[in-house]
Amino acid sequence: FKSVTFEDSLFKNCVFEDITSLNTYFRNCTFVNTTFYNTDLEQYKFVDSELINCTFFHIRTGCQISFDDDYSAYWIYFVNFLGTLAVLPGNIVSALLMDRIGRLTMLG
């Protein structure tokens, strides 16, 4: 789940398995006979929720990756493109110098 908020929902006889959540909250929800297995859903994500006969197995702990809501893969590629573009003039000058003064001199 990424940035999902469940409000006034009823979860009855559900199994939440292998779930990683970012900014996911359950507000005023009711869980009846629900099993949580290998999830990172912690107590603070259940705001004013009622848990009736629920079991938690193998809760994930440690550092979970969290990004802002406006985070997208576009920025990763854009920043990578800018870094590659910044190196381009140095590569051109290096190639010209290598042809002009020789490969062994350039290596030295």
Side-chain angles (χ1 to χ4, degrees), residues 12-31:
K12 188 172 182 180
N13 298 323
C14 295
V15 176
F16 291 88
E17 185 174 353
D18 294 326
I19 293 183
T20 303
S21 61
L22 297 173
N23 297 328
T24 298
Y25 295 97
F26 299 91
R27 298 187 199 291
N28 199 21
C29 294
T30 305
F31 297 87

Side-chain angles (χ1 to χ4, degrees), residues 61-75:
T61 57
C63 180
Q64 299 294 328
I65 298 174
S66 62
F67 300 109
D68 296 332
D69 292 338
D70 62 345
Y71 182 80
S72 65
Y74 166 78
W75 288 109

Side-chain angles (χ1 to χ4, degrees), residues 24-26 40-51 56 59:
T24 298
Y25 295 97
F26 299 91
D40 67 347
L41 299 174
E42 296 182 21
Q43 188 65 33
Y44 72 92
K45 295 189 178 195
F46 301 100
V47 179
D48 297 330
S49 294
E50 186 176 4
L51 300 168
F56 290 84
I59 302 299

